[in-house]
Amino acid sequence: MNVLVTGANGQLGKCLQEVAKLETSWNWMFTGSADLDITNAEKVQQFFENNAVDIVVNCAAYTAVDKAETDIENAYAVNAEAVKFLAENCKKHNALLIHISTDFVFDGENENAYLPTDITNPIGVYGASKLKGEQYVQELLKKYFIIRTSWVYSEFGNNFMKTMLRLSESRNELNVVADQIGCPTYAMDLAVGIVAVIKSKSENFGVYHFSNQGKISWFNFASEIFKLAGKEMKVNPIPASDYPTPAKRPSFSLLNAESFQNEFKMQIPAWKKSLANCLKKYQNA
Ligand SMILES: NC(=O)c1ccc[n+]([C@@H]2O[C@H](COP(=O)([O-])OP(=O)(O)OC[C@H]3O[C@@H](n4cnc5c(N)ncnc54)[C@H](OP(=O)(O)O)[C@@H]3O)[C@@H](O)[C@H]2O)c1
């Protein structure tokens, strides 16, 4: 079985490369943006013609949430139009598309954790471009899994955990937003989840949610990072209104991952346990 992974040098792509070491019976094709720029329709088409792709895991994305507010064309090119190219080729070659999306497709007005069936209403360009990508997948394909995730971190790339650790080298007091609620996702857990999706051979195609288990704020997340890493840091909870950013973020974006856990028979770990795992790996590296 040939599995194409796009965006293989991002956080999730790198985690999939780790997890793939245990799944040696599949032929993994890991491509970064230099090998396969998914916005290049011709290159994408050629790739499918030259390789018998059975499954695509699309980890490529324009993830600079604030920059997207002004770099609208590029955000849509990667998060929407390129996803359409992938979906068109999956259709032509009867391949399964596993597409990764985001909690930012929601407006944050819910009181309970978002279900995959809840109404979307993005409040920023990044979320809107990702939603457009989802819509192309759903319009073009029957064989797809869209997996929405949230607050992704790992030992790789740039993320909140690594930013907090970096800041702890030069600061001993920090203000962190306490009124945005959700749950972090360790990209390694999601990579394990994606393998579970493939192994399940499930035909219950559609939209699923995946995040670690729990309900916290960025303030809680930061506090636990410093505690587990043994860093002396005074963390002050602040409202998001005291930390203005170019892109508005949903104040509540907790994802309900029950249908994922039931369908793919995976118990997703609690966020604290996964953070401890990730920190251990990062600090040992
Ligand atoms: N990070 C989060 O907090 C978060 C939250 C919710 C959902 N998600 C979703 O989770 C998925 C994985 O995110 P991540 O955190 O692993 O992202 P990431 O670390 O930013 O990686 C994204 C990757 O996409 C690649 N890429 C960008 N444009 C491309 C193009 N035209 N062709 C091919 N590759 C391209 C980038 O490669 P280059 O660096 O070479 O450009 C980068 O390696 C994405 O779908 C994202 O929307 C992420």
Side-chain angles (χ1 to χ4, degrees):
M1 188 165 64
N2 294 321
V3 185
L4 164 63
V5 179
T6 58
N9 298 321
Q11 295 193 75
L12 180 58
K14 286 235 169 94
C15 290
L16 263 173
Q17 295 196 47
E18 290 295 309
V19 172
K21 290 176 188 160
L22 304 173
E23 299 301 332
T24 48
S25 61
W26 304 342
N27 177 36
W28 293 87
M29 297 178 281
F30 288 101
T31 58
S33 58
D35 322 298
L36 182 62
D37 175 352
I38 62 165
T39 64
N40 187 326
E42 219 171 288
K43 287 269 160 61
V44 173
Q45 190 183 334
Q46 267 171 19
F47 193 96
F48 274 82
E49 274 161 19
N50 296 339
N51 300 277
V53 178
D54 298 300
I55 297 175
V56 178
V57 184
N58 182 28
C59 302
Y62 185 110
T63 54
V65 174
D66 288 319
K67 198 170 159 211
E69 290 297 304
T70 45
D71 194 16
I72 300 170
E73 206 174 309
N74 283 323
Y76 272 84
V78 182
N79 293 343
E81 298 312 311
V83 178
K84 184 173 162 217
F85 302 151
L86 289 173
E88 283 169 345
N89 282 281
C90 283
K91 186 173 184 178
K92 193 166 165 195
H93 297 270
N94 194 30
L96 167 69
L97 177 58
I98 301 176
H99 175 64
I100 311 304
S101 193
T102 172
D103 54 333
F104 279 26
V105 298
F106 296 115
D107 60 17
E109 297 297 320
N110 256 28
E111 283 176 1
N112 298 314
Y114 281 98
L115 293 165
T117 47
D118 278 339
I119 292 169
T120 53
N121 184 30
I123 55 175
V125 171
Y126 166 72
S129 65
K130 292 289 291 184
L131 180 61
K132 186 76 191 158
E134 287 190 7
Q135 287 164 346
Y136 280 135
V137 172
Q138 290 174 305
E139 277 162 30
L140 286 160
L141 292 175
K142 286 197 176 68
K143 276 173 56 175
Y144 70 85
F145 294 106
I146 291 170
I147 305 175
R148 297 190 189 123
T149 186
S150 60
W151 303 16
V152 177
Y153 71 97
S154 67
E155 56 270 48
F156 307 112
N158 297 316
N159 56 64
F160 185 81
M161 180 195 84
K162 288 173 74 175
T163 303
M164 292 300 111
L165 293 175
R166 195 181 62 244
L167 288 172
S168 73
E169 300 300 320
S170 57
R171 310 260 293 264
N172 51 24
E173 184 167 357
L174 213 56
N175 296 339
V176 183
V177 170
D179 59 357
Q180 280 170 0
I181 305 299
C183 195
T185 302
Y186 180 22
M188 201 65 81
D189 292 334
L190 178 53
V192 169
I194 289 168
V195 167
V197 171
I198 298 174
K199 278 186 171 167
S200 75
K201 297 198 166 65
S202 166
E203 297 197 345
N204 288 324
F205 303 119
V207 182
Y208 290 86
H209 286 172
F210 188 107
S211 70
N212 282 121
Q213 297 302 284
K215 178 184 177 186
I216 62 168
S217 69
W218 291 106
F219 165 78
N220 301 135
F221 193 24
S223 304
E224 189 69 14
I225 291 167
F226 297 128
K227 186 177 141 197
L228 287 174
K231 305 279 184 189
E232 283 292 322
M233 178 72 83
K234 184 169 187 294
V235 190
N236 306 313
I238 57 160
S241 54
D242 283 2
Y243 186 74
T245 51
K248 262 176 76 181
R249 284 152 168 82
S251 56
F252 178 89
S253 67
L254 192 66
L255 299 175
N256 182 321
E258 252 174 57
S259 63
F260 186 100
Q261 301 193 93
N262 293 337
E263 182 63 27
F264 306 112
K265 315 272 180 289
M266 176 180 177
Q267 186 62 49
I268 304 176
W271 72 272
K272 274 191 193 179
K273 189 169 172 235
S274 289
L275 175 60
N277 281 340
C278 180
L279 265 172
K280 206 188 293 169
K281 277 197 192 145
Y282 182 57
Q283 289 175 324
N284 289 341

